[in-house]
Amino acid sequence: MHLTLTIDQTIQQALKGEASAQRKLFEAFSPQAFRVAMRYCEHRADAEDVVQNTFIRVFSQLKNYKGEKGAFGAWVHRISVNESLRVLRKRKPILFIASENDNRQEVDPEPLVTDHLAAADLRRLILQLPEGYRAVFNLHAIEGYSHQEIAEQLGITAATSRSQLTRAKRTLKQWISAQILNAPKTQIR
Amino acid sequence: MSDNLKNKLDQEQLEFDTSAAWEQLAPKLDSNKRKRRGFIWWWVGGSASVAFLVFAMLYLLPQDSSTEPPAVFAEANQVEASKIELSSETVESAPLSISEEKSAGVYSSDALFDVSSRGSSEESPVINLTSKVLNEGDDNLLSTSLNNSHKIVAYDSGSIQFLQENITTENASTPYSIFHQDNSLGVGGGEDSELTPSRSKADLDQSRSNQTSDGLTSADIVASSKLPYLNLLPFELEGSEQLGRLPEMPMSRIPYGKLTTKPYWQVGILGGVGKEILSSTNDNFRINGRTILETRSMQLDVKRSFSKRFAVTVHAHILQRQELYRTDLTELYSETVYNPVALVAGGERFGDSVSVLSTNRVRSDRYATLTRLNVGAVGEYLVPTRSCDYGVYAGVNFALVQRWNGSRMVQRVPIDRPAPEEMNPIIEDTEGPYSSLNNRLSFIIGTRVSKPLGRQLNLLFDGRAVLNSHYAIESPFDELFTETGHTFTVSLGLGWRFE
């Protein structure tokens, strides 16, 4: 409660343009934004750009923030995801590997078993995915977006989103299996 | 699965320096501050550029050579005395015309001035002008004891007339002319003149003090002589054409500053002008006026940025320097002029014309172009802003080779009075050897502004100083010398940037 009030007070101060308040918010939420960005961007410099752009947008749109208490982190999270996708689109168009079977309901592979993987290894594997796979996988499997939301976000059909997700999972599963068999990372990369 | 994966990924401790990131973010938050900062950067950069250009124009770029003090000519050409030549001719007082014999224009032990020109004017008959530089010990002088006297002495050996003029001259070694009237008819001329006995110098001096000029001053004589001197022709410097206007280019579609966020390569080509300032020279010039006119440069460089802040550039740099070698000489010339105060004896006029020896200061210009090829490397500290990238750099410069091309232009240009006519100078092109260089290493400091014009094209402005360059040089005119100095250039160019 006390923390929430403090965040709200800080937001109010940040709305008045106080740099110290803006800095507090940045220090509190930028690691989270950076972590999100690092799932989408291969290069650290791009992720840092995402953080910068995220908070430029956060502070410029702060007057429009009418979230409930405790929702500020989610709002920043959502903006950082959008900024990550924007950076990916800006670098080069996201390539979605399509096939004639996109409209066919693909069999969802078994859930990924990632218990034995460290977080860094898992993130590294995700970053090895093709951009289309990676974007859809991140949005659906991690951020919890529906396929319809992903379709609107990425400008694709829900079916394409679904198929991209299925292939992403299948690819990851193969790589994780290979990881289990102690395959050299260079083969995975 | 969503929550599991998310929780697992959130466990990762990613190193993120929030303080450094905030330092980068803070300037971008306040739009007013951002605008002010850009405004300030523009003014700082612009003011520095303008200040440098003004400084360069005032102090570095070529000065008007006419303001140079007259040089003292070489000792071998020192005029020790002026001479009187007697040639009395009874001539009609009809219009005097002039012929100039320039072959004797400059006599010098200096091979530089062995060029002689011979020409004749259309106005030829009566007045003959010969120019000579007299050497020490010339026995033909009548009044060698008058050396260093700041006077023109008109001495009529036939005791017909004295002319005396006091003049002021800057050159004490060529102060006077002596007019000697000779009666060519043999009636009154020479020391055995029947009209007037020869007179001693003491007598002359006394008489001089009692008599005044009869209106024929040396200036009048010179002015009336209408000498066909050469004008100083404007010498066109090679390659002085202006940089062409840059074509219009599409403005950047990339947000400013983005180009510098990742390491990149950039190939740039720049051209510019500048000035070299010599701090010391060690030479054996036989001339005494050496002016460095202008310096032009062309540069090709390859830049590699390793971060937002640091880059290394290697460059090949062609530098061209123009120099003017100027020599002023005082030459003695003879002219025959109408004598309005001719002697009338026995109903006849004698001494209607007199030969006058007078001095004339002439100028010889030679131009030379030094071309030098440098290579080097600099480290650059970058200051990216939203509108431009600024950078300061320092590094080393290595001179590979240099060579002179020269144009020897000998012309007789009067210095003390306006040249009435123009004549083509003698121009001789020559080339120097590829000089051996020593102490080739020098140092570079400079600043550069890079303005994005598109996704990959950049407009570059560069100002640099090459400090403490030290070279041994053989000029095309056979001089050997060494020099130490600094080179300042400002350049404009284009760069192509890619990752």
Side-chain angles (χ1 to χ4, degrees):
Chain A
M1 184 67 181
H2 176 70
L3 178 64
T4 305
L5 288 176
T6 302
I7 289 176
D8 286 343
Q9 289 172 351
T10 307
I11 290 171
Q12 292 303 317
Q13 291 172 350
L15 272 172
K16 296 174 184 174
E18 291 185 17
S20 60
Q22 289 177 339
R23 179 166 190 163
K24 280 181 185 174
L25 290 175
F26 180 81
E27 288 177 344
F29 293 98
S30 61
Q32 170 193 338
F34 181 69
R35 199 176 296 117
V36 170
M38 286 294 282
R39 293 175 203 155
Y40 290 84
C41 305
E42 292 178 81
H43 303 292
R44 185 183 180 90
D46 287 342
E48 290 173 350
D49 282 350
V50 167
V51 175
Q52 299 265 319
N53 294 338
T54 296
F55 279 88
I56 288 174
R57 179 154 298 199
V58 164
F59 293 125
S60 64
Q61 302 296 324
L62 196 56
K63 57 183 178 294
N64 299 327
Y65 170 68
K66 295 183 174 66
E68 295 180 356
K69 293 173 184 176
F72 185 75
W75 187 59
V76 172
H77 184 99
R78 194 174 185 87
I79 292 177
S80 61
V81 169
N82 292 339
E83 285 298 321
S84 298
L85 293 173
R86 198 171 68 83
V87 165
L88 284 182
R89 277 197 296 264
K90 192 179 71 175
R91 290 283 176 244
K92 54 185 176 182
I94 300 174
L95 180 62
F96 294 96
I97 303 171
S99 73
E100 295 177 352
N101 297 328
D102 277 357
N103 292 327
R104 197 177 65 186
Q105 187 73 26
E106 292 200 20
V107 179
D108 197 4
E110 295 177 4
L112 288 173
V113 180
T114 60
D115 295 342
H116 58 284
L117 281 179
D121 292 334
L122 178 59
R123 185 177 59 81
R124 199 173 298 119
L125 287 177
I126 291 172
L127 285 178
Q128 300 307 313
L129 289 170
E131 285 184 342
Y133 290 9
R134 189 196 320 155
V136 173
F137 181 82
N138 275 326
L139 290 172
H140 186 275
I142 299 175
E143 314 295 349
Y145 284 44
S146 68
H147 286 296
Q148 189 58 40
E149 288 174 319
I150 295 172
E152 292 172 2
Q153 186 83 19
L154 299 179
I156 57 177
T157 63
T160 300
S161 172
R162 222 172 272 117
S163 68
Q164 298 285 310
L165 176 67
T166 303
R167 291 170 192 170
K169 283 182 178 177
R170 191 172 294 150
T171 305
L172 275 176
K173 199 164 186 175
Q174 291 172 359
W175 286 351
I176 290 171
S177 300
Q179 189 90 329
I180 293 171
L181 296 174
N182 295 323
K185 287 183 179 177
T186 52
Q187 290 184 6
I188 298 174
R189 298 177 71 87
Chain B
M1 189 184 74
S2 171
D3 288 341
N4 289 338
L5 278 174
K6 190 172 183 180
N7 291 336
K8 188 173 191 65
L9 289 171
D10 285 344
Q11 291 170 6
E12 185 182 7
Q13 296 298 320
L14 290 172
E15 186 180 345
F16 181 68
D17 188 349
T18 54
S19 298
W22 173 256
E23 291 301 322
Q24 290 188 342
L25 175 66
K28 300 177 182 176
L29 291 179
D30 185 350
S31 60
N32 291 330
K33 191 188 294 181
R34 202 162 57 234
K35 289 175 184 173
R36 282 198 303 271
R37 182 163 297 211
F39 185 74
I40 290 170
W41 270 115
W42 268 109
W43 272 102
V44 169
S47 302
S49 302
V50 170
F52 185 82
L53 289 175
V54 170
F55 176 76
M57 292 186 68
L58 288 179
Y59 298 104
L60 304 184
L61 295 181
Q63 304 294 316
D64 183 2
S65 58
S66 63
T67 60
E68 294 177 20
V72 180
F73 57 88
E75 66 278 357
N77 300 319
Q78 188 79 17
V79 174
E80 294 295 338
S82 296
K83 176 185 176 184
I84 297 176
E85 279 188 358
L86 304 178
S87 66
S88 175
E89 294 175 323
T90 301
V91 296
E92 300 292 334
S93 59
L96 300 177
S97 54
I98 301 167
S99 70
E100 180 184 27
E101 181 176 302
K102 295 198 295 180
S103 60
V106 177
Y107 292 117
S108 168
S109 60
D110 189 336
L112 169 63
F113 300 105
D114 58 359
V115 178
S116 63
S117 64
R118 183 180 293 274
S120 61
S121 157
E122 293 178 359
E123 331 164 59
S124 57
V126 177
I127 293 182
N128 296 315
L129 304 177
T130 58
S131 299
K132 285 183 181 179
V133 174
L134 297 183
N135 293 319
E136 187 175 8
D138 195 329
D139 295 330
N140 296 326
L141 301 177
L142 289 183
S143 300
T144 55
S145 62
L146 296 178
N147 285 353
N148 299 323
S149 168
H150 292 263
K151 294 177 179 177
I152 290 179
V153 178
Y155 171 41
D156 180 3
S157 64
S159 302
I160 297 173
Q161 183 69 41
F162 280 104
L163 296 177
Q164 175 178 333
E165 284 294 326
N166 294 323
I167 63 170
T168 301
T169 176
E170 293 180 359
N171 191 341
S173 62
T174 59
Y176 45 81
S177 297
I178 301 174
F179 303 162
H180 185 185
Q181 181 173 1
D182 187 12
N183 188 340
S184 62
L185 298 179
V187 177
E191 294 183 352
D192 297 328
S193 169
E194 295 176 357
L195 293 175
T196 54
S198 69
R199 298 165 62 164
S200 68
K201 180 176 176 299
D203 293 333
L204 293 176
D205 289 342
Q206 185 175 2
S207 301
R208 228 165 37 208
S209 64
N210 297 328
Q211 299 190 30
T212 58
S213 169
D214 199 5
L216 186 60
T217 67
S218 65
D220 292 336
I221 294 170
V222 169
S224 62
S225 62
K226 305 289 186 185
L227 296 175
Y229 290 113
L230 303 175
N231 272 336
L232 179 62
L233 298 178
F235 190 84
E236 296 183 359
L237 302 177
E238 291 182 6
S240 60
E241 61 269 13
Q242 301 289 320
L243 282 174
R245 182 176 177 272
L246 292 172
E248 291 186 2
M249 298 170 188
M251 294 304 291
S252 174
R253 287 171 292 171
I254 298 176
Y256 291 129
K258 289 296 180 187
L259 288 176
T260 58
T261 58
K262 297 174 69 176
Y264 61 87
W265 291 90
Q266 178 176 282
V267 177
I269 183 166
L270 300 100
V273 297
K275 182 66 178 176
E276 283 197 300
I277 297 177
L278 301 185
S279 55
S280 69
T281 58
N282 180 12
D283 55 54
N284 58 353
F285 290 158
R286 288 166 291 179
I287 55 175
N288 34 50
R290 180 188 179 209
T291 306
I292 295 179
L293 294 180
E294 70 175 35
T295 300
R296 297 184 296 267
S297 70
M298 181 168 287
Q299 179 177 329
L300 175 68
D301 60 30
V302 180
K303 176 178 179 178
R304 170 64 174 171
S305 80
F306 295 100
S307 67
K308 290 181 182 179
R309 295 293 183 189
F310 182 69
V312 170
T313 303
V314 294
H315 66 258
H317 186 220
I318 297 175
L319 184 114
Q320 267 202 345
R321 187 177 85 197
Q322 286 250 342
E323 286 190 9
L324 165 65
Y325 297 73
R326 169 162 293 174
T327 304
D328 291 344
L329 281 180
T330 300
E331 64 178 18
L332 196 63
Y333 66 95
S334 169
E335 58 184 337
T336 303
V337 298
Y338 171 67
N339 181 10
V341 289
L343 171 67
V344 178
E348 293 190 39
R349 292 171 57 87
F350 300 101
D352 276 343
S353 64
V354 291
S355 290
V356 176
L357 278 182
S358 187
T359 58
N360 181 36
R361 298 178 65 213
V362 296
R363 174 164 291 172
S364 167
D365 287 345
R366 294 179 296 165
Y367 291 86
T369 302
L370 171 69
T371 304
R372 180 182 294 152
L373 175 61
N374 299 318
V375 295
V378 298
E380 185 173 2
Y381 180 76
L382 302 169
V383 184
T385 69
R386 289 176 63 84
S387 57
C388 288
D389 287 351
Y390 296 86
V392 292
Y393 58 80
V396 294
N397 190 57
F398 194 77
L400 285 185
V401 68
Q402 63 185 4
R403 190 182 196 189
W404 285 94
N405 288 289
S407 293
R408 188 200 308 255
M409 179 171 67
V410 179
Q411 54 184 359
R412 298 176 67 245
V413 179
I415 299 174
D416 301 327
R417 51 204 157 132
E421 296 180 22
E422 289 186 3
M423 289 184 68
N424 291 330
I426 301 167
I427 296 179
E428 175 186 353
D429 293 330
T430 180
E431 286 186 340
Y434 288 99
S435 296
S436 60
L437 296 164
N438 57 352
N439 296 330
R440 304 174 179 205
L441 194 63
S442 53
F443 303 99
I444 300 176
I445 58 171
T447 182
R448 174 174 286 192
V449 182
S450 176
K451 171 79 174 173
L453 295 179
R455 283 186 180 275
Q456 292 176 298
L457 195 63
N458 281 278
L459 178 65
L460 308 175
F461 176 79
D462 183 281
R464 66 169 49 191
V466 179
L467 301 176
N468 203 33
S469 58
H470 180 97
Y471 304 111
I473 299 175
E474 293 176 66
S475 86
F477 311 119
D478 299 330
E479 283 90 0
L480 280 169
F481 59 94
T482 60
E483 65 178 29
T484 302
H486 314 300
T487 305
F488 303 90
T489 53
V490 289
S491 304
L492 193 64
L494 292 175
W496 185 256
R497 183 180 294 190
F498 53 92
E499 295 181 0

